[in-house]
Amino acid sequence: MSSIIQLLPDHVANQIAAGEVVQRPASVVKELLENSVDAGATDIKLIVKDAGKTLIQVIDNGKGMDVTDARLCFERHATSKIRHAEDLFALHTKGFRGEALASIAAIAHVELKTKQDQQELGTHIIIEGSKFVSQDVAVLPKGTSFSVKNLFFNIPARRNFLKSDTVEFRHIIDEFERVALAHPGISFVLYHNGSEMFNLPSSNQRQRIVGVFGARTNEKLVPVNESTEIVQVQGFIVKPEFAKKSRGEQFFFVNNRFIKSGYLHHAIMAAYEGLLKDGCQPGYFLYLDVPPNTIDINIHPTKTEIKFDDEHALYAILRSSVKHSLGQFNVAPVLDFERDANLDTPYDYERKEAVMPMVEVDRNFNPFADDKPAKSAFGTSGGSSAPARQFRKQERMPAWESLYTGLTPATEEFEGTDFEEDEITGSLFNENEVEQAVQTTYQIHKKYIVSPIKSGMVIIDQKRAHQRILYEQFLKNITVQHGSSQQLLFPLVLHFNKTELDLIREMKSSLENTGFVFAEVNHDHIVVSGLPVNVSESEVSILLEELIDDLQQEVPDSSFSQSDSIAKSMAKSLAIKTGTLLTEKEQENMVNSLFACKEPDVSPFNKPTFITVSVEDLDKRFAV
């Protein structure tokens, strides 16, 4: 028999490798930005069109490549980051595998322009699906420009699996923010469809966080700084009162590399124990500096997971340092009654020398000096016989009762006046015949509503039923008619970052149809002057945060339009929760409203809202 095992062609192997490295446009953005950082760039521009499906271009002013490197960088396992296997445990760069550019070139149209500082001319290379189309010399500035066009053009199945532009662009922003936060000393600019989304100049860590998440973030941050032999922790945590339902503002950086770690996140949650509301997540921006030989980065293609040598010690240090910062800056309550908070030394003043306070004293001040001359009631002294002032007692104004003195009460005789008598009519109903209304609905465990029907009984899940009722109500208001709103006496001012404000502007008309009234949508905040009837002021910020998070992640994925997504998200946020006690009228209204819906059987998330139990089923259960 002939052999059946054979080597795959290079372009097929590259496409297979691309399935692990390039999952969506955001993966390309991550790899190209990290290459620019490794090239020593101080100014990086990211240009995106159609959420990266049409164009992803990264321009930097790094050291560039010569002709040989420009051609060799698209080969598999070709890298300048490592030379030996031992280098994997002493990494100081972002990339090291040498697979990213080869994988990207296998599934897109790639154009590379690069030039080194000492060279007069640069190199211009065009690749389409791992095939070199052209290579020319060109007049270029110092640095490198990567243009990735028509991503997944030769893999239509993978392109069809991409989400909407809103979701894909949200993932691109996530990768952009992670790289920008990890390197505050580098200038970053992001353009999407010709409009500038971010312009972050070179700054420090705090300024970079404020530049990414808005000016209001500055007052939320609490500094963290701890240095040990195992790890050096620095960065910022967010005050407990600003905790959100979503997990958006949570960043761990290990040696300036963004990572995800549920174990370290648990350490942060343990430090915040007792300070957060139920369901809220703390925000943090923590930079961990550990020896490179104590971590293993090469365990995941995306390099976002790291294996630590001593996780238990890292857990304890991180938890204690965060807890120390919360107590140091009087964020957490302290039970030491003899402690004087004024004697605490902040981190910034630990090595600061004492300075003699400057106190200004007014030496001419005399509290007993009489600046104003005393006024005499009997004239001035000095021999002149000035007549004494005449003092008269002010006559008292007459009281208000005097206005009515001398008036005689007017009395009239009503003896001759006839009044129309009320006609006495009998009652339509006899009091004995009035029957009291019989309760038809019952609530069980503050979760289910039981209502009898002809064939047996129906058991309704009150939370899912209310979601269905609100969903159809909001969807009708958005698409058919304008929902009623209640005006606020004092408008609400809510602060969001640039990305969230762009999303609010996009869905502003739909929200106004549900009953929201926006008095102002500014560059960093919105002013809400009116709310839907069934929304309270305390729920507005939570509702909008959950709505933005759902739309960014496209939850649920089965939504047909943005209006459908808004209606589902608002219904999920405003529906009554399990454990809410309902009165008898509320139970009846819930049952009647549910069966008045177009699709009462399922919730907006395709889960059953009620079940029926027939009398026959009950008879079978009691059968002996």
Side-chain angles (χ1 to χ4, degrees), residues 4-268:
I4 59 176
I5 298 178
Q6 55 184 343
L7 291 174
L8 291 174
D10 288 341
H11 67 279
V12 177
N14 289 338
Q15 287 189 8
I16 295 173
E20 296 181 355
V21 179
V22 183
Q23 302 171 355
R24 57 193 341 146
S27 304
V28 178
V29 171
K30 173 182 179 294
E31 298 294 343
L32 296 182
L33 288 178
E34 289 182 349
N35 283 343
S36 297
V37 172
D38 289 338
T42 59
D43 190 359
I44 300 176
K45 294 181 181 179
L46 172 61
I47 302 173
V48 179
K49 289 185 179 179
D50 299 331
K53 300 175 184 177
T54 303
L55 172 66
I56 299 174
Q57 185 176 7
V58 175
I59 305 172
D60 65 63
N61 62 346
K63 55 188 176 182
M65 294 179 284
D66 59 13
V67 179
T68 305
D69 290 342
R71 184 67 179 261
L72 192 60
C73 70
F74 292 102
E75 299 295 331
R76 291 187 66 195
H77 308 301
T79 179
S80 63
K81 314 298 173 61
I82 61 175
R83 289 290 183 268
H84 308 284
E86 292 79 10
D87 295 340
L88 291 173
F89 299 98
L91 288 172
H92 296 281
T93 57
K94 302 294 182 184
F96 53 87
R97 289 199 184 98
E99 293 180 339
L101 295 182
S103 301
I104 294 171
I107 55 174
H109 296 164
V110 179
E111 184 177 359
L112 169 62
K113 297 178 181 179
T114 182
K115 174 185 171 296
Q116 291 182 337
D117 193 15
Q118 65 272 17
Q119 294 179 342
E120 295 182 357
L121 297 175
T123 305
H124 183 198
I125 295 177
I126 298 177
I127 301 176
E128 296 180 358
S130 295
K131 296 180 181 179
F132 279 84
V133 177
S134 65
Q135 178 176 344
D136 303 312
V137 294
V139 178
L140 301 170
K142 174 198 170 185
T144 303
S145 172
F146 265 101
S147 299
V148 180
K149 304 175 183 178
N150 305 322
L151 192 64
F152 300 124
F153 79 100
N154 53 356
I155 311 178
R158 177 65 67 89
R159 190 177 181 88
N160 292 335
F161 277 111
L162 294 178
K163 304 294 184 182
S164 65
D165 287 355
T166 303
V167 177
E168 295 298 338
F169 185 59
R170 178 63 216 173
H171 286 286
I172 290 175
I173 289 179
D174 288 341
E175 296 294 345
F176 177 82
E177 289 176 350
R178 292 166 183 173
V179 178
L181 290 173
H183 302 276
I186 301 176
S187 174
F188 288 90
V189 181
L190 170 59
Y191 296 94
H192 183 228
N193 292 336
S195 60
E196 183 181 275
M197 304 299 297
F198 288 96
N199 190 347
L200 307 174
S202 176
S203 58
N204 55 30
Q205 291 179 354
R206 189 175 195 124
Q207 292 174 346
R208 178 54 55 89
I209 294 172
V210 172
V212 172
F213 293 99
R216 295 283 294 184
T217 312
N218 191 31
E219 65 184 52
K220 306 177 185 178
L221 301 179
V222 177
V224 178
N225 194 352
E226 197 72 38
S227 181
T228 64
E229 296 179 356
I230 300 176
V231 61
Q232 183 177 357
V233 182
Q234 60 179 351
F236 301 91
I237 55 177
V238 177
K239 297 178 182 178
E241 59 264 28
F242 297 104
K244 295 183 178 181
K245 295 284 185 180
S246 59
R247 300 181 59 174
E249 299 178 358
Q250 297 178 348
F251 295 89
F252 279 119
F253 299 97
V254 175
N255 296 351
N256 292 331
R257 182 192 302 274
F258 172 79
I259 68 162
K260 297 178 181 178
S261 176
Y263 188 69
L264 298 183
H265 173 73
H266 190 273
I268 306 297

Side-chain angles (χ1 to χ4, degrees), residues 11 47 49 72 83 99 111 173 206 285 322 326 353-354 361 367 392 424 467 497 554 561 564 566 584 608 616:
H11 67 279
I47 302 173
K49 289 185 179 179
L72 192 60
R83 289 290 183 268
E99 293 180 339
E111 184 177 359
I173 289 179
R206 189 175 195 124
F285 309 87
V322 172
L326 290 173
E353 297 181 357
V361 179
R392 289 188 306 171
I424 300 176
Q467 286 179 350
N497 57 38
E554 202 173 54
S561 63
D564 189 60
I566 293 174
E584 182 182 347
E616 290 78 6

